[in-house]
Amino acid sequence: MTITQRPAGRTDLDRAFDDLRGLWRRHPQRALETLGRQVLLGRDALIGLVEAIIQRRFPYQEFIKQCAFMVGVSAAPTVLVAIPIAVVVSIQVGALVNQVGATTFIGAVAGLGIIRQGAPLVTSLMIAGAVGSSICADLGSRTIREEIDAMKVMGVDPVRRLVAPRLVAAILVSILLCGFVVFVGFATAYMFNVYAQDGTPGSFIGSFASFAVANDLIVALVKAAIFGLLTAIIACDIGLHTKGGPGGVANSVNSAVVTSALMLFATNVILTQLYNTLFPTKVI
Protein backbone atom coordinates (compact mmCIF):
# COMPACT_ATOMS: atom_id res chain seq x y z
CA MET A 1 0.00 0.00 0.00
CA THR A 2 1.49 3.32 -1.11
CA ILE A 3 1.06 6.37 1.10
CA THR A 4 1.38 9.77 -0.59
CA GLN A 5 3.22 12.19 1.62
CA ARG A 6 2.89 15.98 1.38
CA PRO A 7 6.09 17.95 0.84
CA ALA A 8 7.65 19.10 4.06
CA GLY A 9 6.79 22.67 4.97
CA ARG A 10 3.85 22.92 2.52
CA THR A 11 0.38 23.36 3.92
CA ASP A 12 -3.06 23.89 2.41
CA LEU A 13 -2.81 27.55 3.35
CA ASP A 14 0.43 27.94 1.39
CA ARG A 15 -1.12 26.34 -1.67
CA ALA A 16 -4.13 28.64 -1.35
CA PHE A 17 -1.83 31.68 -1.31
CA ASP A 18 -0.02 30.33 -4.38
CA ASP A 19 -3.33 29.96 -6.19
CA LEU A 20 -4.28 33.53 -5.30
CA ARG A 21 -0.96 34.84 -6.56
CA GLY A 22 -1.41 32.90 -9.77
CA LEU A 23 -4.91 34.32 -10.20
CA TRP A 24 -3.53 37.84 -9.71
CA ARG A 25 -0.85 37.29 -12.33
CA ARG A 26 -3.33 35.81 -14.81
CA HIS A 27 -6.04 38.47 -14.62
CA PRO A 28 -5.74 41.80 -12.74
CA GLN A 29 -2.00 42.15 -13.25
CA ARG A 30 -2.28 41.29 -16.94
CA ALA A 31 -5.17 43.76 -17.32
CA LEU A 32 -3.11 46.54 -15.72
CA GLU A 33 -0.15 45.73 -17.94
CA THR A 34 -2.38 45.87 -21.01
CA LEU A 35 -3.87 49.20 -19.92
CA GLY A 36 -0.41 50.66 -19.40
CA ARG A 37 0.71 49.39 -22.80
CA GLN A 38 -2.31 50.98 -24.46
CA VAL A 39 -1.67 54.30 -22.71
CA LEU A 40 1.91 54.27 -23.98
CA LEU A 41 0.73 53.39 -27.49
CA GLY A 42 -1.74 56.29 -27.44
CA ARG A 43 0.96 58.67 -26.28
CA ASP A 44 3.41 57.50 -28.94
CA ALA A 45 0.74 57.69 -31.65
CA LEU A 46 -0.23 61.26 -30.75
CA ILE A 47 3.41 62.36 -30.57
CA GLY A 48 4.17 60.66 -33.87
CA LEU A 49 1.08 62.27 -35.41
CA VAL A 50 2.18 65.78 -34.41
CA GLU A 51 5.73 65.17 -35.58
CA ALA A 52 4.55 63.76 -38.91
CA ILE A 53 2.30 66.75 -39.55
CA ILE A 54 5.05 69.24 -38.63
CA GLN A 55 7.59 67.42 -40.81
CA ARG A 56 5.03 67.07 -43.63
CA ARG A 57 5.40 63.30 -43.62
CA PHE A 58 1.89 62.38 -42.56
CA PRO A 59 0.55 59.50 -44.73
CA TYR A 60 -2.51 61.27 -46.13
CA GLN A 61 -3.22 58.50 -48.64
CA GLU A 62 -3.44 55.94 -45.84
CA PHE A 63 -5.61 58.35 -43.82
CA ILE A 64 -8.07 58.86 -46.70
CA LYS A 65 -8.10 55.13 -47.43
CA GLN A 66 -8.89 54.31 -43.80
CA CYS A 67 -11.63 56.98 -43.63
CA ALA A 68 -13.32 55.55 -46.73
CA PHE A 69 -13.01 52.02 -45.38
CA MET A 70 -14.41 52.91 -41.94
CA VAL A 71 -17.34 54.79 -43.45
CA GLY A 72 -18.04 51.86 -45.74
CA VAL A 73 -18.22 49.31 -42.93
CA SER A 74 -20.15 51.48 -40.46
CA ALA A 75 -22.56 53.74 -42.38
CA ALA A 76 -25.24 51.17 -43.23
CA PRO A 77 -25.25 49.47 -39.80
CA THR A 78 -25.47 52.90 -38.17
CA VAL A 79 -28.67 53.73 -40.05
CA LEU A 80 -30.16 50.31 -39.30
CA VAL A 81 -29.47 50.78 -35.58
CA ALA A 82 -30.34 54.48 -35.30
CA ILE A 83 -33.85 54.14 -36.76
CA PRO A 84 -35.20 51.47 -34.35
CA ILE A 85 -33.59 53.18 -31.36
CA ALA A 86 -35.30 56.46 -32.30
CA VAL A 87 -38.61 54.62 -32.69
CA VAL A 88 -38.22 52.96 -29.28
CA VAL A 89 -37.38 56.29 -27.65
CA SER A 90 -40.43 57.89 -29.28
CA ILE A 91 -42.72 55.08 -28.10
CA GLN A 92 -41.45 55.19 -24.52
CA VAL A 93 -41.44 58.98 -24.36
CA GLY A 94 -44.88 59.19 -25.94
CA ALA A 95 -46.34 56.77 -23.40
CA LEU A 96 -44.72 58.61 -20.51
CA VAL A 97 -45.78 62.12 -21.51
CA ASN A 98 -49.33 60.92 -22.15
CA GLN A 99 -49.49 59.55 -18.61
CA VAL A 100 -48.34 62.81 -17.04
CA GLY A 101 -50.26 65.03 -19.47
CA ALA A 102 -47.21 66.77 -20.94
CA THR A 103 -47.66 65.97 -24.61
CA THR A 104 -46.44 69.42 -25.63
CA PHE A 105 -42.94 68.54 -24.41
CA ILE A 106 -42.54 65.31 -26.37
CA GLY A 107 -40.27 66.98 -28.93
CA ALA A 108 -37.89 68.25 -26.26
CA VAL A 109 -37.72 64.95 -24.39
CA ALA A 110 -37.32 62.75 -27.48
CA GLY A 111 -34.89 65.08 -29.25
CA LEU A 112 -32.67 65.67 -26.22
CA GLY A 113 -32.72 61.97 -25.37
CA ILE A 114 -31.46 61.10 -28.84
CA ILE A 115 -28.81 63.83 -28.90
CA ARG A 116 -27.49 63.41 -25.36
CA GLN A 117 -27.55 59.62 -25.04
CA GLY A 118 -28.94 57.89 -28.11
CA ALA A 119 -26.43 59.25 -30.64
CA PRO A 120 -23.30 58.71 -28.50
CA LEU A 121 -24.38 55.17 -27.56
CA VAL A 122 -25.15 54.16 -31.14
CA THR A 123 -21.85 55.69 -32.24
CA SER A 124 -19.96 53.78 -29.55
CA LEU A 125 -21.57 50.49 -30.62
CA MET A 126 -20.77 51.06 -34.29
CA ILE A 127 -17.24 52.24 -33.59
CA ALA A 128 -16.49 49.29 -31.30
CA GLY A 129 -18.25 46.68 -33.42
CA ALA A 130 -17.49 47.73 -36.99
CA VAL A 131 -14.51 50.09 -36.95
CA GLY A 132 -12.62 48.53 -34.03
CA SER A 133 -12.98 45.00 -35.38
CA SER A 134 -11.77 46.02 -38.85
CA ILE A 135 -8.73 47.85 -37.44
CA CYS A 136 -7.80 44.91 -35.21
CA ALA A 137 -8.28 42.35 -38.00
CA ASP A 138 -6.13 44.37 -40.39
CA LEU A 139 -3.23 44.92 -37.99
CA GLY A 140 -3.56 41.40 -36.56
CA SER A 141 -3.22 39.89 -40.04
CA ARG A 142 -0.18 42.05 -40.71
CA THR A 143 1.33 40.95 -37.41
CA ILE A 144 1.00 37.20 -37.97
CA ARG A 145 2.40 37.65 -41.51
CA GLU A 146 5.38 39.39 -39.87
CA GLU A 147 4.83 42.58 -41.87
CA ILE A 148 5.15 44.64 -38.70
CA ASP A 149 8.52 43.06 -37.92
CA ALA A 150 9.63 43.69 -41.50
CA MET A 151 8.69 47.37 -41.20
CA LYS A 152 10.75 47.67 -38.02
CA VAL A 153 13.74 46.01 -39.69
CA MET A 154 13.51 48.50 -42.59
CA GLY A 155 13.44 51.40 -40.12
CA VAL A 156 9.77 52.26 -40.65
CA ASP A 157 7.90 53.14 -37.47
CA PRO A 158 4.61 51.16 -37.53
CA VAL A 159 3.07 53.50 -34.96
CA ARG A 160 3.57 56.53 -37.18
CA ARG A 161 2.87 54.70 -40.42
CA LEU A 162 -0.12 52.57 -39.41
CA VAL A 163 -1.50 53.60 -36.02
CA ALA A 164 -1.49 57.41 -36.37
CA PRO A 165 -3.59 57.62 -39.59
CA ARG A 166 -6.07 55.09 -38.19
CA LEU A 167 -6.30 57.14 -35.00
CA VAL A 168 -7.20 60.35 -36.86
CA ALA A 169 -9.53 58.51 -39.23
CA ALA A 170 -11.40 56.86 -36.34
CA ILE A 171 -11.87 60.23 -34.60
CA LEU A 172 -13.14 61.92 -37.77
CA VAL A 173 -15.46 59.07 -38.72
CA SER A 174 -16.82 58.90 -35.16
CA ILE A 175 -17.73 62.58 -35.24
CA LEU A 176 -19.39 62.22 -38.64
CA LEU A 177 -21.30 59.13 -37.51
CA CYS A 178 -22.54 60.90 -34.40
CA GLY A 179 -23.83 63.84 -36.43
CA PHE A 180 -25.44 61.40 -38.86
CA VAL A 181 -27.13 59.53 -36.01
CA VAL A 182 -28.44 62.80 -34.57
CA PHE A 183 -29.99 63.72 -37.92
CA VAL A 184 -31.44 60.27 -38.63
CA GLY A 185 -32.66 59.79 -35.06
CA PHE A 186 -34.34 63.19 -34.81
CA ALA A 187 -35.96 62.84 -38.25
CA THR A 188 -37.23 59.37 -37.35
CA ALA A 189 -38.61 60.54 -34.00
CA TYR A 190 -40.33 63.49 -35.70
CA MET A 191 -41.98 61.39 -38.41
CA PHE A 192 -43.01 58.68 -35.97
CA ASN A 193 -44.56 61.22 -33.61
CA VAL A 194 -46.39 63.10 -36.35
CA TYR A 195 -47.60 60.20 -38.48
CA ALA A 196 -47.91 57.33 -35.98
CA GLN A 197 -48.74 59.10 -32.71
CA ASP A 198 -50.85 61.93 -34.20
CA GLY A 199 -48.53 64.59 -32.81
CA THR A 200 -48.39 68.22 -33.87
CA PRO A 201 -45.37 69.16 -36.02
CA GLY A 202 -45.20 72.69 -34.66
CA SER A 203 -45.37 71.53 -31.05
CA PHE A 204 -42.63 68.92 -31.60
CA ILE A 205 -40.22 71.41 -33.18
CA GLY A 206 -41.14 74.25 -30.83
CA SER A 207 -40.61 72.33 -27.60
CA PHE A 208 -37.32 70.96 -28.87
CA ALA A 209 -36.09 74.42 -29.84
CA SER A 210 -37.07 75.79 -26.42
CA PHE A 211 -34.92 73.33 -24.43
CA ALA A 212 -32.11 72.27 -26.77
CA VAL A 213 -28.86 74.23 -26.69
CA ALA A 214 -25.71 74.06 -28.78
CA ASN A 215 -23.78 72.50 -25.90
CA ASP A 216 -25.87 69.33 -26.21
CA LEU A 217 -24.64 68.70 -29.75
CA ILE A 218 -21.09 69.77 -28.92
CA VAL A 219 -20.91 67.36 -25.99
CA ALA A 220 -22.25 64.53 -28.15
CA LEU A 221 -19.58 65.21 -30.80
CA VAL A 222 -16.84 65.42 -28.16
CA LYS A 223 -17.99 62.08 -26.76
CA ALA A 224 -17.87 60.58 -30.24
CA ALA A 225 -14.32 61.88 -30.79
CA ILE A 226 -13.18 60.36 -27.49
CA PHE A 227 -14.90 57.09 -28.37
CA GLY A 228 -13.07 56.97 -31.70
CA LEU A 229 -9.74 57.70 -30.02
CA LEU A 230 -10.16 55.00 -27.38
CA THR A 231 -11.41 52.41 -29.86
CA ALA A 232 -8.54 53.01 -32.27
CA ILE A 233 -5.95 52.73 -29.48
CA ILE A 234 -7.44 49.52 -28.07
CA ALA A 235 -7.89 47.89 -31.49
CA CYS A 236 -4.41 48.87 -32.69
CA ASP A 237 -2.75 47.63 -29.50
CA ILE A 238 -4.53 44.26 -29.54
CA GLY A 239 -3.93 43.87 -33.28
CA LEU A 240 -0.21 44.61 -32.97
CA HIS A 241 0.13 41.98 -30.22
CA THR A 242 -1.78 39.21 -32.00
CA LYS A 243 -0.35 35.70 -31.62
CA GLY A 244 -1.35 32.22 -32.71
CA GLY A 245 -1.99 32.47 -36.44
CA PRO A 246 -5.45 32.97 -38.00
CA GLY A 247 -7.15 31.71 -34.84
CA GLY A 248 -5.27 34.35 -32.89
CA VAL A 249 -6.62 37.05 -35.19
CA ALA A 250 -10.17 35.92 -34.47
CA ASN A 251 -9.50 35.94 -30.73
CA SER A 252 -7.92 39.40 -30.98
CA VAL A 253 -10.92 40.79 -32.85
CA ASN A 254 -13.29 39.39 -30.24
CA SER A 255 -11.16 40.82 -27.43
CA ALA A 256 -10.95 44.22 -29.12
CA VAL A 257 -14.73 44.48 -29.62
CA VAL A 258 -15.60 43.43 -26.07
CA THR A 259 -12.91 45.60 -24.46
CA SER A 260 -13.83 48.63 -26.58
CA ALA A 261 -17.55 48.29 -25.83
CA LEU A 262 -16.99 48.04 -22.09
CA MET A 263 -14.54 50.95 -22.12
CA LEU A 264 -16.84 53.17 -24.18
CA PHE A 265 -19.91 52.53 -22.01
CA ALA A 266 -17.90 53.33 -18.87
CA THR A 267 -16.46 56.45 -20.53
CA ASN A 268 -19.95 57.58 -21.56
CA VAL A 269 -21.16 57.35 -17.96
CA ILE A 270 -18.16 59.32 -16.70
CA LEU A 271 -18.46 62.04 -19.34
CA THR A 272 -22.21 62.37 -18.80
CA GLN A 273 -21.75 62.73 -15.07
CA LEU A 274 -18.99 65.31 -15.52
CA TYR A 275 -21.13 67.33 -17.92
CA ASN A 276 -24.15 67.27 -15.62
CA THR A 277 -21.96 68.31 -12.69
CA LEU A 278 -20.09 71.11 -14.44
CA PHE A 279 -23.02 72.36 -16.55
CA PRO A 280 -26.24 71.63 -14.67
CA THR A 281 -29.51 72.03 -16.54
CA LYS A 282 -31.09 75.40 -15.92
CA VAL A 283 -34.75 75.54 -15.05
CA ILE A 284 -36.64 77.79 -17.44
Side-chain angles (χ1 to χ4, degrees):
M1 180 177 181
T2 303
I3 300 176
T4 303
Q5 295 181 349
R6 296 180 181 178
R10 296 282 297 176
T11 64
D12 293 337
L13 185 60
D14 293 332
R15 285 193 293 273
F17 280 128
D18 291 341
D19 293 339
L20 289 176
R21 284 193 292 268
L23 181 64
W24 163 256
R25 286 193 296 268
R26 288 193 302 270
H27 298 287
Q29 182 179 355
R30 187 179 300 175
L32 291 176
E33 292 173 353
T34 302
L35 177 61
R37 191 180 65 210
Q38 292 172 354
V39 171
L40 294 177
L41 177 64
R43 182 201 64 182
D44 295 340
L46 292 176
I47 294 175
L49 173 64
V50 174
E51 292 177 350
I53 293 176
I54 294 176
Q55 298 172 0
R56 297 183 180 180
R57 299 177 60 184
F58 181 74
Y60 289 101
Q61 292 183 351
E62 181 71 14
F63 165 70
I64 295 173
K65 177 182 177 181
Q66 291 301 318
C67 285
F69 177 72
M70 292 179 186
V71 170
V73 299
S74 60
T78 299
V79 175
L80 296 177
V81 173
I83 292 177
I85 286 183
V87 172
V88 171
V89 170
S90 299
I91 293 174
Q92 297 296 328
V93 169
L96 179 62
V97 296
N98 285 330
Q99 290 178 1
V100 300
T103 55
T104 56
F105 297 101
I106 187 172
V109 179
L112 292 178
I114 292 172
I115 293 176
R116 291 182 178 180
Q117 294 300 324
L121 288 177
V122 172
T123 303
S124 66
L125 289 174
M126 292 301 102
I127 290 298
V131 175
S133 61
S134 62
I135 292 175
C136 184
D138 181 23
L139 295 183
S141 300
R142 292 171 182 259
T143 300
I144 65 171
R145 293 197 302 264
E146 299 182 352
E147 293 183 15
I148 305 300
D149 294 334
M151 293 177 64
K152 294 178 181 179
V153 171
M154 292 186 296
V156 179
D157 185 6
V159 174
R160 176 181 294 186
R161 182 66 179 81
L162 298 177
V163 177
R166 284 167 173 77
L167 204 68
V168 182
I171 294 174
L172 178 60
V173 171
S174 298
I175 295 175
L176 295 177
L177 282 180
C178 184
F180 186 54
V181 172
V182 169
F183 172 76
V184 173
F186 185 81
T188 302
Y190 171 82
M191 290 187 293
F192 188 83
N193 176 256
V194 172
Y195 296 104
Q197 296 178 323
D198 296 327
T200 305
S203 176
F204 189 93
I205 300 297
S207 63
F208 174 76
S210 300
F211 288 89
V213 293
N215 286 342
D216 296 326
L217 181 59
I218 293 174
V219 171
L221 296 179
V222 170
K223 284 183 179 181
I226 295 175
F227 293 162
L229 175 67
L230 294 177
T231 300
I233 292 174
I234 294 173
C236 288
D237 175 76
I238 296 178
L240 291 175
H241 291 85
T242 299
K243 298 178 181 179
V249 176
N251 294 332
S252 295
V253 171
N254 180 62
S255 176
V257 172
V258 173
T259 304
S260 299
L262 294 176
M263 178 65 73
L264 297 187
F265 282 131
T267 303
N268 181 61
V269 173
I270 295 173
L271 293 177
T272 301
Q273 187 62 35
L274 286 176
Y275 175 72
N276 292 334
T277 302
L278 298 177
F279 304 98
T281 302
K282 297 181 180 179
V283 180
I284 300 179

